[in-house]
Amino acid sequence: MDGKILAASSKHPKPVDRVFQYGTAGFRMKANLLDSVVFRVGLIAALRSRKLGGQTIGVMITASHNPPEDNGVKLVDPMGEMLENSWEAYSTELANARDEDLLKVYKGLEEKLKINGETTARVIYARDTRASGPALVRALVDALDATETEYTDYKLLTTPQLHYLTRCTNTEGTPQSYGDVSEKGYYEKLSEAFVRAMKGKKTVGAVTVDCANGVGGPKLHELVKYLKKGSEGGVDIKIINDDVLKAESLNHECGADFVKTKQRAPPTSKAGNNERCCSLDGDADRIIYYFSDPEHGFRLLDGDKIATLAASFIGDLAREARLAEELKIGVVQTAYANGASTKYIEKSLGLPAVCTPTGVKWLHHAATKFDVGVYFEANGHGTVVFSPQALKAFHTKEPESPAQAAALDTLRALADLINQTVGDALSDMLLVETILAHKAWTPREWDLTYVDLPNRLVRVEVKNRNLFKTTDAERKLVEPQGLQEQIDALVSKVRDGRSFARASGTEDAVRVYAEAATRGEADDLASKVAGLCRQEGVGS
């Protein structure tokens, strides 16, 4: 095997003077820099699988909402969750090893982690629609062949579909079986659960779905084949931006990131006033809703609004099912969540809201501490996770009335409809459509549940982002010393003020967030805090 690894790695030399870092999104950069990284991720996948006694590891080649010339690669652990934290460091170490040291570093990890090289390693992998995908798959396969790993190529998938299939593969034939191990099984599970969740309810009008000209387009077309029409108790879906043949159109003037940052619908959208619209990102793991209000124009219904909608609905169902006392329901957010959403969760819904550092792995982990943990980042990435106790209660609680029985039926359906492994735009869309149908709400009624505080996000370039160190889930700076006190002084001068600064995870920049009672105050606060950070950062 050692000879095979050496021979294969010679085909995938590491670029000199490049330092790679495994982050929240795995490795992500210009595609032409990724060849050696993807090869080495293949090596790590084999080690991880062997370390876990031959459980199947997922590898996804995607760069999500990034431009078409970028690509990335990330690993998925056996239950469909993000790679365990400590293994991010091992992945980074192997990715940065000099070519002549690669085998030594690989063998060193095998020894340090007490991995039995004789154990069969198993990997499944897929990619999004980027033009660079097939060549990077070849680099991955070279590593899997060199390490004598058994593998399955699922070709084109959304990122959440690969997470789902990783969990299905590892739970097949057990009491924890998560579903049929196939792409078809994914569509069948979602569509059947949607029918049960919608029982007796109707959607009103179609929903326009912008697929960011990414892999979500063909996969949504496939899912639609399994769904009933709106008139039959299903949903009518108008698909736009589903061109995966023109590589340069991916995420161009469309997709969740475009809509969220530009605060407007994609130019290709022809939706009328008050019509439901949503946008996926390039690999379909994020979704945001929006609509055009006749009086107020474009209205965004982001991850905060989706989280509060889901928490409110599930909280109501738990009460109707007489489970509210025995189930702990909570919402997990990051510091970027609008203060008005946090207040609504705690005051109006009466639920705990927990704040974690930015990054899905932190939110997911915190959500598992609840029986029902709802988590969404403001950018639209999120899901709901149910504890084994919650799932058991949904199935064993004896109903004493038709209303209680109906609530339990709906909770059981939601547990199947929601992809609990990771944020999944297709699954989350069906969840939102279900809730709006049950509540008989238009997007305007959903929008009016609470009013966002005006806010502003500013990017400040600095020489060294590592000078900016935070605590309290990234809401307070501990370094540079004295800077937080200056920020606090500025915040104290505005109504409903809140502001924080945190180092970017991907570039030498600091991101400053500010919110206040009025647009002018929010902009002014953001500008002043950015000025303080710029002063500190320039001297670094």
Side-chain angles (χ1 to χ4, degrees), residues 461-501:
E461 284 189 21
V462 294
K463 282 186 187 169
N464 180 6
R465 68 178 186 258
N466 297 320
L467 289 180
F468 293 81
K469 295 191 166 57
T470 60
T471 185
D472 189 25
E474 301 178 319
R475 290 177 288 191
K476 295 220 178 312
L477 282 166
V478 286
E479 288 181 24
Q481 285 187 344
L483 182 54
Q484 185 60 50
E485 286 73 15
Q486 292 174 272
I487 294 172
D488 290 344
L490 290 172
V491 168
S492 68
K493 292 174 185 165
V494 298
R495 288 174 301 146
D496 294 332
R498 182 169 75 93
S499 182
F500 64 90

Side-chain angles (χ1 to χ4, degrees), residues 274-288:
N274 293 322
E275 289 184 4
R276 302 188 307 288
C277 303
C278 61
S279 288
L280 325 181
D281 68 341
D283 64 340
D285 66 354
R286 292 187 194 179
I287 185 167
I288 51 169

Side-chain angles (χ1 to χ4, degrees), residues 173-439:
T174 73
Q176 287 77 42
S177 174
Y178 199 60
D180 184 58
V181 188
S182 68
E183 187 183 338
K184 181 171 177 272
Y186 168 89
Y187 301 126
E188 286 174 344
K189 182 176 179 180
L190 259 60
S191 58
E192 286 164 9
F194 184 56
V195 168
R196 284 160 38 220
M198 286 286 289
K199 198 170 169 186
K201 307 294 178 195
K202 284 265 172 77
T203 52
V204 178
V207 57
T208 298
V209 186
D210 154 31
C211 296
N213 294 317
V215 69
K219 300 311 178 186
L220 179 55
H221 276 290
E222 201 56 39
L223 175 61
V224 165
K225 295 175 188 174
Y226 293 81
L227 298 172
K228 291 181 176 178
K229 294 187 175 66
S231 58
E232 299 164 355
V235 61
D236 295 320
I237 295 172
K238 285 185 197 165
I239 301 174
I240 63 168
N241 299 323
D242 59 341
D243 182 356
V244 294
L245 299 178
K246 279 213 297 285
E248 66 278 11
S249 62
L250 174 68
N251 295 320
H252 180 65
E253 295 205 324
C254 59
D257 206 51
F258 171 86
V259 173
K260 172 90 173 138
T261 52
K262 302 288 185 191
Q263 298 279 312
R264 60 188 171 93
T268 46
S269 177
K270 301 289 181 279
N273 284 336
N274 293 322
E275 289 184 4
R276 302 188 307 288
C277 303
C278 61
S279 288
L280 325 181
D281 68 341
D283 64 340
D285 66 354
R286 292 187 194 179
I287 185 167
I288 51 169
Y289 268 73
Y290 47 95
F291 70 104
S292 178
D293 185 290
E295 290 170 47
H296 306 289
F298 175 83
R299 301 294 298 162
L300 182 69
L301 299 156
D302 63 3
D304 294 342
K305 278 267 166 49
I306 296 172
T308 51
L309 182 73
S312 134
F313 184 56
I314 294 170
D316 287 346
L317 286 174
R319 276 188 291 279
E320 288 163 24
R322 307 246 179 105
L323 287 172
E325 298 304 311
E326 55 193 273
L327 295 183
K328 195 176 177 202
I329 302 172
V331 182
V332 185
Q333 301 180 303
T334 71
Y336 289 112
N338 195 281
S341 72
T342 312
K343 192 173 174 184
Y344 175 75
I345 292 161
E346 293 177 337
K347 300 283 191 294
S348 300
L349 302 183
L351 296 172
V354 174
C355 187
T356 73
T358 306
V360 177
K361 61 186 177 188
W362 307 116
L363 289 115
H364 191 96
H365 181 70
T368 60
K369 300 280 194 293
F370 293 101
D371 290 310
V372 180
V374 180
Y375 75 84
F376 272 84
E377 292 188 286
N379 65 23
H381 190 292
T383 188
V384 183
V385 291
F386 300 95
S387 71
Q389 291 83 344
L391 296 173
K392 189 179 175 191
F394 298 165
H395 285 90
T396 57
K397 185 80 170 176
E398 285 293 335
E400 293 168 17
S401 69
Q404 189 183 0
L408 287 164
D409 282 345
T410 307
L411 286 168
R412 284 193 289 269
L414 292 185
D416 288 333
L417 179 63
I418 294 163
N419 184 348
Q420 295 177 57
T421 64
V422 75
D424 182 340
L426 302 183
S427 160
D428 288 338
M429 177 193 72
L430 293 180
L431 173 64
V432 169
E433 291 299 313
T434 297
I435 299 172
L436 295 179
H438 272 259
K439 288 181 176 285

Side-chain angles (χ1 to χ4, degrees), residues 515-526:
E515 62 186 33
T518 64
R519 164 60 59 211
E521 286 174 303
D523 287 350
D524 187 50
L525 180 59

Side-chain angles (χ1 to χ4, degrees), residues 46 48 104 110 113 122 168 203 263 277 386 427 454 534:
R48 180 75 178 144
K104 189 173 83 180
E110 199 173 51
L113 297 165
R122 298 177 178 91
C168 290
T203 52
Q263 298 279 312
C277 303
F386 300 95
S427 160
R534 201 171 283 113

Side-chain angles (χ1 to χ4, degrees), residues 54-65:
Q55 289 189 81
T56 299
I57 297 298
V59 179
M60 185 70 200
I61 295 174
T62 178
S64 190
H65 57 279

